[in-house]
Amino acid sequence: MDFDNLVLSPCMAAFGVTVLVTPLKSQPSAQPYSAEGIYDRSVATVMLADGSEMASTNVTLGIRLSDFSVPPREGDKITFNGKSYKVDASFPDGQGGAELKLKEIR
């Protein structure tokens, strides 16, 4: 089954947002370029031993690897919605996509 074209492509068309990729590590001499990805933000709350809670925000961007000649990698910069993020990790899914874990640059 061609998961990339049958699933990822329609999902990207429906839910994708335009981002600006600054390829600081993947292509150091290249100019920034626009791309599409599916943005997700979740909050994880952890109960600490003393009974207090600590919250952590997880931001990810799902991408189609076939959209890139050289996909973003750790250390690249992604900008969208007025915020800039560093790619902290990249997790290929084995089906033609990858999830980029993003860390906000302040």
Side-chain angles (χ1 to χ4, degrees), residues 59-83:
V59 178
T60 60
L61 188 72
I63 61 170
R64 285 180 69 202
L65 294 173
S66 63
D67 288 344
F68 299 88
S69 57
V70 177
R73 62 175 264 200
E74 293 84 359
D76 285 350
K77 180 178 164 184
I78 307 284
T79 304
F80 62 98
N81 291 341
K83 294 184 180 179

Side-chain angles (χ1 to χ4, degrees), residues 40-46 53-59:
D40 186 40
R41 180 182 174 275
S42 62
V43 177
T45 304
V46 178
E53 294 181 349
M54 181 176 79
S56 174
T57 302
N58 300 308
V59 178

Side-chain angles (χ1 to χ4, degrees), residues 4-98:
D4 182 40
N5 283 315
L6 294 174
V7 178
L8 296 180
S9 181
C11 285
M12 196 64 67
F15 303 109
V17 296
T18 301
V19 301
L20 181 68
V21 179
T22 304
L24 300 170
K25 298 291 184 179
S26 61
Q27 302 175 74
S29 61
Q31 294 296 311
Y33 59 90
S34 54
E36 284 200 344
I38 298 175
Y39 165 80
D40 186 40
R41 180 182 174 275
S42 62
V43 177
T45 304
V46 178
M47 182 71 73
L48 302 176
D50 66 0
S52 63
E53 294 181 349
M54 181 176 79
S56 174
T57 302
N58 300 308
V59 178
T60 60
L61 188 72
I63 61 170
R64 285 180 69 202
L65 294 173
S66 63
D67 288 344
F68 299 88
S69 57
V70 177
R73 62 175 264 200
E74 293 84 359
D76 285 350
K77 180 178 164 184
I78 307 284
T79 304
F80 62 98
N81 291 341
K83 294 184 180 179
S84 294
Y85 301 87
K86 177 184 89 162
V87 177
D88 198 39
S90 176
F91 303 100
D93 64 12
Q95 300 292 326

